[in-house]
Amino acid sequence: LAEERGEIFLTTRKVDLRGEENIIMASIKIGGVPEHFNYIFTLAEERGLYKKYGVKVEFVIQKCGTGAMIAALKKKEQDIVVALTEGLVADIATGGSLVLLGTYVSSPLCWAISTGAKNEKIQSVDDLKGATIAISRYGSGSHLMATVMAAQMGWEAKDLKFKVIGNFKKLRDSVNSGEADAFMWETFTTKPYHDSKEIKRIGEIYTPWPCFMLAARADVAKEKKEAISKVLAAIEEAAAIFHSEEEKMIGIISKKYSLQPQDAKAWYSTVKINPKSTVSLRALQLAVDSLSDAGVLKEENVVIEPLKFYLSARESGVTSSPPTLCQFAFKDIANVNASTEDIKSGYVIAYWKIRGLSAPLRMMCSYAGAEWSDVGYRAFMNKDGTVNKVSWFVDAKPKIIKKNPILNLPYVIDTKSGEVITQSVACLLFLAQRLNLDGPDKTALGMARMSQLVCQAQDLRNAGVRCFYGMDDHKSYIERSMPSHYNKFQNWLSLHKTKFLLGPSPTAPDFHLWEMIDHNEMLAIELKSKSYLDAYPRLKQYYTDFKGLEKLKGYFESPAFLYDCNNPHAKYPLPATLRN
């Protein structure tokens, strides 16, 4: 009765008749999906970390996902949930009684988009306009991310219909029976069913924010804050163990969650499970932006007043002050990281869903440690052999061009100012200055030296494109054009005796040049030729040094590096699978 009334300490002690003191540990129930992300909670139990920190934990499996977990929290069936960021943000913004306790997985989540195995009508995401999307429940990740996908495709709310189906198994069954056209679920959980051809993968979408956060009811967080803090300490230590025992953990994940070893390794190499009691302001802003653009958050259903201010300020072009989203977190445990740098560092990189001209831009943001999100417009082949680019020219460009009349791909959005920058060289030079990648010499002469190298790399790019897309014969490119450009860069490096083009560290032209050299190396694999760098030892060392940069390790392990180099109508699309 005292415990029910909140009149007892979370951790109490008793003494038995022999005088031995025993600890009665506080008990915490945590809800989460039965997926590989949540192995950390099992690991903490197996390694005795809950006992070490003096807390008893029961992990409750929730097969129906974020919506069901939020409902369980509100009924006090669980104390904490590990749930999708977008679902938690949507619930808090619209008046839910939840608070964030911190970040659980800081890397983004890849949602696989799947349809029925024998569905010939749907071959890509572009075919989903007007389709029926199966969801586990309204407010779930499968629902919210479908609305985000529609917004990114430039569709209106009426262009998607939703049908509540239930759990993962029922979602798979629904697309094969024709009850629904497609559904979305975490990519590695879905992959075994793609491999077995039970369902068909037609695309994917990434969250531009940390994918999982920890949350609780505000009253429960206040009542059990001491025990919750102990849980966070235990899983933080478990996560450190998880990331330090790579080979062992990959084996466990593969066996426990029925993933192929190569899939378990691919997931492990990109996931960042680092429980911490901080929440990125930038992450909250991105989630609010996406959910409001998708129509999930509207002025009339947002009840947190500071968030209303944020939304109205965003519409009028006024930058909100950092504290406006801070009340999403439980202040006695977590805090919202509201540094000004966190706001300044956000960029949107938009291009076709290939590497192409946007890869140097993505690499620059990754190298500089800036927060960025990727928007990819998908081109695909029609049955008559023509290329379909409706996703950009019809669905997206007419809406965005209002912000910049000369709009083209690629474009970069500076999320702080809202400015849209277009033209590939302009985008590159803009990021060079914003990210301090424009070289050590900031004088007019130094900027000219940097710009001329960018333009030279662009000349190589233009020559390569004519070969890749079949406008020029590949022999002419390989035997004349490519050597001419390679000689220029080799001689430049030899003359200046620098590791990279402008010094010991990479600058804007290095990202542009390296990307094209890598395309050419993949072309050599495609044509079963030896490396085109063999005749250029200085340039070959340059290529190797760039690939080995520690600051780009995350990018080279990310899905963006696995995109095809060129669009599907290219003579040489140069897919990442060539490397295998």
Side-chain angles (χ1 to χ4, degrees), residues 286-303:
L286 282 169
V288 167
D289 279 356
S290 296
L291 294 172
S292 56
D293 287 343
V296 176
L297 296 183
K298 300 177 181 178
E299 187 70 26
E300 61 270 21
N301 68 2
V302 172
V303 299

Side-chain angles (χ1 to χ4, degrees), residues 339-382:
S339 68
T340 55
E341 188 60 33
D342 189 42
I343 302 171
K344 287 195 298 185
S345 61
Y347 302 96
V348 174
I349 311 296
Y351 193 57
W352 300 110
K353 202 170 184 65
I354 58 174
R355 282 169 60 181
L357 284 165
S358 59
L361 309 177
R362 298 180 188 125
M363 282 193 286
M364 290 169 72
C365 289
S366 298
Y367 179 85
E371 291 193 23
W372 62 281
S373 56
D374 183 29
V375 174
Y377 301 102
R378 187 180 297 278
F380 63 94
M381 300 306 295
N382 293 319

Side-chain angles (χ1 to χ4, degrees), residues 50-110:
Y50 296 137
K51 186 176 182 180
K52 173 183 174 180
Y53 287 96
V55 65
K56 184 178 179 181
V57 170
E58 178 186 353
F59 189 82
V60 181
I61 291 176
Q62 288 281 1
K63 292 186 176 181
C64 290
T66 295
M69 285 188 281
I70 290 174
L73 267 188
K74 292 178 176 179
K75 295 176 184 176
K76 287 194 174 182
E77 293 173 0
Q78 278 120 50
D79 302 308
I80 302 174
V81 294
V82 188
L84 295 167
T85 299
E86 57 271 23
L88 295 173
V89 168
D91 186 81
I92 295 171
T94 52
S97 56
L98 310 185
V99 286
L100 299 176
L101 304 174
T103 303
Y104 176 62
V105 179
S106 61
S107 49
L109 187 70
C110 179

Side-chain angles (χ1 to χ4, degrees), residues 33-41 59 82 84 104-105 107-110 186-189 211-212 242 253 257 267 270-273:
V33 292
E35 295 177 5
H36 37 294
F37 293 94
N38 287 330
Y39 173 65
I40 299 300
F41 296 93
F59 189 82
V82 188
L84 295 167
Y104 176 62
V105 179
S107 49
L109 187 70
C110 179
E186 194 275 328
T187 191
F188 286 101
T189 305
C211 58
F212 285 104
F242 176 80
I253 294 298
Y257 298 97
W267 172 75
T270 58
V271 73
K272 294 179 181 176
I273 303 177

Side-chain angles (χ1 to χ4, degrees), residues 361 406-412 421-429:
L361 309 177
I406 61 171
L407 185 68
N408 207 341
L409 292 178
Y411 66 82
V412 173
I421 299 93
T422 191
Q423 296 295 337
S424 53
V425 172
C427 291
L428 204 110
L429 295 178

